[in-house]
Amino acid sequence: MFYAKKTLNHIDMDVLTSNLEEIEIQLLLEGIYQYYGFDFRNYARSSLKRRIRKILTAEDLEHISALQDRILHNPDCFKRFLLSVTVNVTSMFRDPSFFLAFRHKVVPLLRTYPYVRLWHAGCSEGQEVYSMAILLQEEGLYDRCRIYATDTNELVLKHAKKAIYPLELMQQYTQLYQQAGGKHSFSEYYTAAYGSAILRSSLKDNIIFSQHNLATDRSFNEFHVIVCRNVLIYFNPTLQKQVHQLFHDSLCMFGILALGKQESLRLSPFQTEYEPIAKSEKIYRRLS
Amino acid sequence: MKPQLIVMGASLGGLIALSQLLQRLGPAFNIPIAIVQHRHRDSKDSVIDFLQRSTSLKVKEVEDQDKITNGWVYLAPANYHLLVEPGYFALSVDEPVSFARPSIDVLFESAAEVYGPATIGIILTGANHDGATGAVALKARGGTVIVQDPATAESAVMPEAVLTRNAADWIMPVPQIAEWLNRFSV
Ligand SMILES: C[S@@+](CC[C@H](N)C(=O)[O-])C[C@H]1O[C@@H](n2cnc3c(N)ncnc32)[C@H](O)[C@@H]1O
């Protein structure tokens, strides 16, 4: 409900321009959705706005409506938009206490299944997925697992499939791996070459990477485990609810749902459908 | 106008300053407070416990979608930006801003956009410039900016950065800031 009232000269120009920006953002997102099919309309506005402004600066444009023009008429510009608007910051064994809890609380449950399907939604450049693969290998479970790793952003998926990361990150990853309860030496999992660390290829064996958009795509299988960390924080309450519905529909009975450290089921309508398994690590189990 | 949200930023020396401030707020203080305190990524509960000991208000680390409620003091979690949406908080793991995550600028700018003139921003002690840009943005949206008197700050750099940008409405030592805030909560 943003409109400039008649008494323009009495209007606080700061408030007015902020409303105009809001309108421009809505138009931009609507245009992108209608033309390219990517739906950012229900992303959390505060952080989305920051990123759009950053893109505006990078594209050297003044107004969001000019950015809209460029994005709609220039697919390369849209690609750049996509890359900077989805936040791909990730790490191996991010929040090691999560992986530790997964090892102790979830792995024993998974041992009772002959076959385990996991879904990493919003897997970014793959570090989280390979961390899980390492954990499952060490627990002797990997052979009967299949991991579906999805993201909306094809560029990060391409990166993820390669499993090559900057060598200088390995020191930090090694520390996190140890804190996560790693059983071996982390250096066993990669080969160093030309400033890069190439992950052991056996880790890739049971991982399938594919594009999937949580905002617009449907459930595509039934899973024993869904891991979706630091993705829902980018969605507004409406979209979060919708995605929780999707997860609920995609989990088998007693399936495990793992969220990010500062995310929770607390405000979702599905709160009563799950029980916490490791509450502070945001690991839940579907009740029925 | 009664303020609807108080945002605070602190860095080096901030925990002491924050606890001194919270300690002096009335027990029925009823404006929500959101804090970014720069800290090491692994520290967690100890900070909450420390601040909780200084106040009868409830102190918590923000989880995504937490409602902004009177009587609460909200602390940005380590390694996440804290942002304000209408009536609730959001988090992000976007890149650090001026080397900081959480960033004071990010909190102040998003609070300014949502609550505008109903926002009070407070910059306490710190050894970097985080918060200065946020304070400018807050002032531009009609909010009120208070800066800890640099002479009383463990590190004067952060308060002074705000003063240099001409973004402060008030300069006060911590006890006086608390007194000033208490007037709104009767
Ligand atoms: C901050 S990363 C989280 C990566 C990893 N899960 C972690 O916690 O380290 C967020 C990821 O969510 C993806 N994402 C954003 N919107 C999405 C959507 N609608 N559907 C699927 N993935 C999405 C982004 O492309 C990005 O790779």
Side-chain angles (χ1 to χ4, degrees):
Chain A
M1 305 322 95
F2 302 115
Y3 48 85
K5 303 211 184 70
K6 295 125 253 170
T7 52
L8 255 184
N9 44 344
H10 292 302
I11 284 225
D12 181 336
M13 284 313 286
D14 266 324
V15 173
L16 202 58
T17 44
S18 92
N19 292 348
L20 180 56
E21 188 185 39
E22 189 60 40
I23 294 168
E24 289 182 284
I25 290 179
Q26 276 176 26
L27 293 172
L28 170 71
L29 301 182
E30 192 62 39
I32 288 176
Y33 176 57
Q34 298 214 1
Y35 191 62
Y36 290 107
F38 282 82
D39 193 354
F40 293 104
R41 294 173 303 174
N42 283 322
Y43 277 48
R45 235 358 115 74
S46 51
S47 56
L48 184 66
K49 227 188 228 175
R50 289 193 71 85
R51 290 193 299 281
I52 291 178
R53 284 189 195 136
K54 226 168 136 182
I55 296 168
L56 211 54
T57 313
E59 297 283 332
D60 198 18
L61 293 170
E62 197 171 339
H63 299 302
I64 294 170
S65 37
L67 181 65
Q68 175 184 331
D69 180 75
R70 190 176 288 175
I71 286 178
L72 292 181
H73 292 282
N74 178 347
D76 280 335
C77 178
F78 176 62
K79 272 190 203 152
R80 292 195 295 274
F81 174 86
L82 209 54
L83 196 60
S84 23
V85 91
T86 60
V87 178
N88 307 305
V89 182
T90 187
S91 156
M92 286 195 84
F93 298 99
R94 177 187 225 157
D95 304 318
S97 53
F98 164 79
F99 288 91
L100 199 61
F102 195 94
R103 221 183 255 271
H104 293 315
K105 304 247 166 93
V106 179
V107 163
L109 302 172
L110 300 186
R111 285 194 202 289
T112 60
Y113 296 116
Y115 193 79
V116 184
R117 274 187 305 273
L118 302 92
W119 176 18
H120 279 256
C123 66
S124 193
E125 292 178 344
Q127 288 93 325
E128 182 186 77
V129 189
Y130 292 120
S131 307
M132 186 60 84
I134 288 174
L135 188 160
L136 293 168
Q137 254 187 9
E138 292 187 355
E139 297 297 331
L141 273 176
Y142 191 51
D143 288 341
R144 41 177 146 139
C145 291
R146 174 136 302 172
I147 306 181
Y148 297 79
T150 64
D151 201 283
T152 185
N153 188 334
E154 289 188 66
L155 279 168
V156 297
L157 284 172
K158 220 188 248 174
H159 201 129
K161 279 180 206 162
K162 289 194 189 131
I164 299 176
Y165 303 104
L167 192 57
E168 69 259 24
L169 291 176
M170 293 304 128
Q171 199 181 348
Q172 187 201 343
Y173 288 178
T174 302
Q175 263 180 22
L176 292 168
Y177 164 79
Q178 284 159 356
Q179 291 165 20
K183 291 184 171 167
H184 300 280
S185 152
F186 187 65
S187 57
E188 287 173 27
Y189 293 104
Y190 66 87
T191 327
Y194 308 108
S196 294
I198 304 161
L199 293 193
R200 188 151 99 190
S201 70
S202 71
L203 292 174
K204 294 189 199 173
D205 285 349
N206 302 337
I207 303 176
I208 300 160
F209 287 100
S210 63
Q211 201 215 12
H212 181 279
N213 188 323
L214 290 167
T216 46
D217 293 332
R218 297 173 171 273
S219 171
F220 59 97
N221 212 326
E222 203 180 66
F223 298 95
H224 304 95
V225 177
I226 297 178
V227 178
C228 184
R229 300 165 71 221
N230 301 305
V231 180
L232 291 171
I233 48 173
Y234 290 101
F235 299 166
N236 76 8
T238 309
L239 184 53
Q240 290 202 11
K241 228 173 262 175
Q242 182 190 319
V243 175
H244 273 303
Q245 175 78 56
L246 175 69
F247 288 162
H248 194 257
D249 293 346
S250 311
L251 266 184
C252 67
M253 205 190 280
F254 304 127
I256 301 292
L257 177 63
L259 304 174
K261 195 156 192 81
Q262 302 301 131
E263 295 165 334
S264 82
L265 271 176
R266 196 168 36 110
L267 298 164
S268 107
F270 294 97
Q271 189 182 11
T272 52
E273 309 282 330
Y274 294 87
E275 62 173 342
I277 288 212
K279 203 168 188 177
S280 62
E281 300 305 330
K282 309 302 160 62
I283 303 176
Y284 304 89
R285 174 151 111 154
R286 198 183 136 153
L287 282 173
S288 56
Chain B
M1 183 195 323
K2 181 168 171 182
Q4 290 182 49
L5 179 65
I6 297 168
V7 288
M8 294 186 194
S11 192
L12 184 68
L15 281 180
I16 303 288
L18 283 167
S19 70
Q20 285 171 351
L21 202 166
L22 294 177
Q23 196 184 340
R24 287 175 168 80
L25 294 179
F29 191 78
N30 62 2
I31 307 165
I33 300 173
I35 299 173
V36 164
Q37 159 72 54
H38 295 157
R39 57 194 167 132
H40 189 261
R41 64 164 294 167
D42 297 329
S43 57
K44 187 190 167 185
D45 297 334
S46 51
V47 180
I48 297 284
D49 292 346
F50 180 79
L51 293 179
Q52 186 64 80
R53 265 179 259 133
S54 63
T55 175
S56 58
L57 301 169
K58 283 162 282 191
V59 183
K60 86 174 292 237
E61 188 171 77
V62 175
E63 278 190 1
D64 185 46
Q65 310 275 311
D66 270 343
K67 282 214 169 59
I68 299 176
T69 311
N70 289 341
W72 284 84
V73 176
Y74 300 93
L75 185 71
N79 234 16
Y80 286 81
H81 290 302
L82 174 59
L83 298 109
V84 174
E85 295 272 350
Y88 63 96
F89 290 110
L91 298 170
S92 96
V93 290
D94 290 27
E95 296 75 18
V97 175
S98 322
F99 307 104
R101 189 175 61 200
S103 143
I104 302 169
D105 285 338
V106 170
L107 173 64
F108 275 46
E109 284 168 23
S110 71
E113 268 169 44
V114 175
Y115 288 102
T119 317
I120 295 175
I122 300 174
I123 298 288
L124 301 173
T125 164
N128 55 67
H129 287 200
D130 191 13
T133 304
V136 171
L138 180 53
K139 229 175 126 61
R141 289 286 159 95
T144 305
V145 176
I146 306 174
V147 164
Q148 179 180 4
D149 181 351
T152 69
E154 178 168 335
S155 172
V157 179
M158 215 159 81
E160 261 160 11
V162 179
L163 296 176
T164 312
R165 303 274 298 264
N166 269 326
D169 295 289
W170 303 88
I171 307 167
M172 300 184 249
V174 166
Q176 230 169 300
I177 298 178
E179 225 171 87
W180 192 89
L181 292 175
N182 277 326
R183 294 181 318 161
F184 289 106
S185 190
V186 277

